[in-house]
């Protein structure tokens, strides 16, 4: 992958009007920090600081579970003067103290929202993993992953059942969360999560077509969704670099990255992916609009950076 492609993807990513914090923004901000280091472009790091710094001292709120702690930690390596601890504490409180409206069922992040207050989402596995607590990932993973190795998009804690749709992008979020947890252990041998990661990687192999997956991975009628390739590439490369993914997955990671990078190169650094997608029936996933969003740009930036030799851990992204 060329430095020029990394630059073009980063510059398109920097144009996005980040909410800070919104679903899927973390990878994009993390990728911009990586690109800032690799390209010697401090202006890209400044983009991240300008977006993130106003949120650091905010009052606690219901969206605190979306705070991307890995971004904050890497941002502090670039700017040691910023105080990230209040935001980290808000995130930890939002996740660890999340409501459990149904005894014996997983915690939910947004009990304040009608309808959504009964759901857990696979998306949250990639953010919740930043605390490094296997129990916070094992509980939702146990009800979201089924015998196929794939993850459902959502799970209704009142009905006690998963949503029934193996959302493509959701597999990428789950992959990143599992790899993050296992890479963070001094001895990455947590048996249940290790088995879940292995089963997911096997399922990704099964449903792959030349580095591509569908927006519903096991539905032949669903369209190809490029964000899945970017997320799979990022997660597998992260896992390969940290030693928690078997070397046999290297070919899968390379093919996923080649597809996502090729698609972005053909569009001047823009990876066109589907818009934000709520938990729903299969029809919900087949009618999404396309555009340029952080959940496509971000994982592609992270994957390109890792492929270029930039370490995930222990470096100033």
């Amino acid at each position: 992958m060329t430095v020029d492609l990394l630059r073009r993807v980063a510059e398109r990513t920097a144009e996005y009007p980040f909410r800070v914090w919104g679903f899927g923004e973390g990878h994009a901000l993390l990728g911009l920090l990586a690109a800032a280091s690799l390209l010697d472009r401090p202006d890209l790091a400044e983009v991240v600081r300008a977006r993130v710094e106003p949120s650091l001292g905010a009052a606690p709120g219901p969206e605190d579970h979306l705070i991307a702690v890995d971004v904050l930690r890497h941002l502090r390596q670039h700017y040691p003067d910023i105080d990230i601890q209040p935001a980290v504490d808000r995130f930890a409180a939002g996740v660890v103290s999340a409501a459990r409206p149904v005894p014996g069922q997983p915690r939910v992040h947004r009990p304040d929202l009608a309808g959504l207050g009964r759901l857990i989402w696979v998306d949250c596995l990639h953010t919740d993993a930043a605390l490094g607590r296997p129990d916070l990932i094992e509980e939702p993973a146990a009800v979201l992953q089924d015998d196929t190795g794939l993850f459902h998009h959502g799970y209704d804690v009142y009905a006690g059942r998963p949503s029934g749709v193996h959302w493509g992008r959701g597999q990428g979020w789950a992959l990143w969360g599992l790899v993050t947890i296992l890479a963070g252990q001094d001895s990455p041998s947590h048996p249940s999560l290790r088995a879940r990661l292995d089963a997911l990687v096997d399922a990704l192999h099964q449903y792959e077509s030349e580095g591509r997956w569908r927006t519903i991975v096991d539905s032949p009628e669903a369209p190809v969704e490029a964000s899945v390739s970017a997320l799979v590439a990022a997660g597998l490369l992260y896992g390969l670099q940290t030693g928690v993914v078997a070397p046999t997955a290297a070919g899968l990671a390379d093919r996923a990255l080649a597809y996502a990078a090729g698609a972005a190169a053909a569009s001047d650094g823009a990876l066109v992916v589907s818009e934000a997608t709520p938990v729903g029936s299969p029809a919900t996933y087949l009618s999404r609009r396309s555009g340029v969003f952080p959940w496509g740009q971000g994982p592609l930036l992270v994957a390109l950076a890792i492929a270029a030799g930039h370490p995930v851990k222990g470096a100033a992204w």
Side-chain angles (χ1 to χ4, degrees), residues 100-160:
R100 195 187 297 274
V102 181
Q105 291 290 333
R107 300 175 178 88
V108 299
H109 286 312
R110 296 302 305 271
D112 57 307
L113 296 178
L116 297 182
R118 59 189 302 130
L119 293 175
I120 64 170
W121 304 286
V122 71
D123 319 39
C124 294
L125 293 181
H126 86 289
T127 44
D128 289 2
L131 286 178
R133 284 184 45 176
D135 60 302
L136 294 176
I137 299 302
E138 172 58 37
E139 184 180 53
V143 297
L144 288 168
Q145 189 179 34
D146 61 27
D147 291 343
T148 68
L150 297 172
F151 282 74
H152 295 266
H153 187 176
Y155 178 86
D156 186 322
V157 298
Y158 285 90

Side-chain angles (χ1 to χ4, degrees), residues 28-49:
L29 296 167
L30 192 65
L32 285 173
L33 293 174
S37 295
L38 284 167
L39 302 173
D40 192 21
R41 288 279 303 272
D43 60 301
L44 295 175
E46 281 295 327
V47 168
V48 180
R49 180 171 186 164

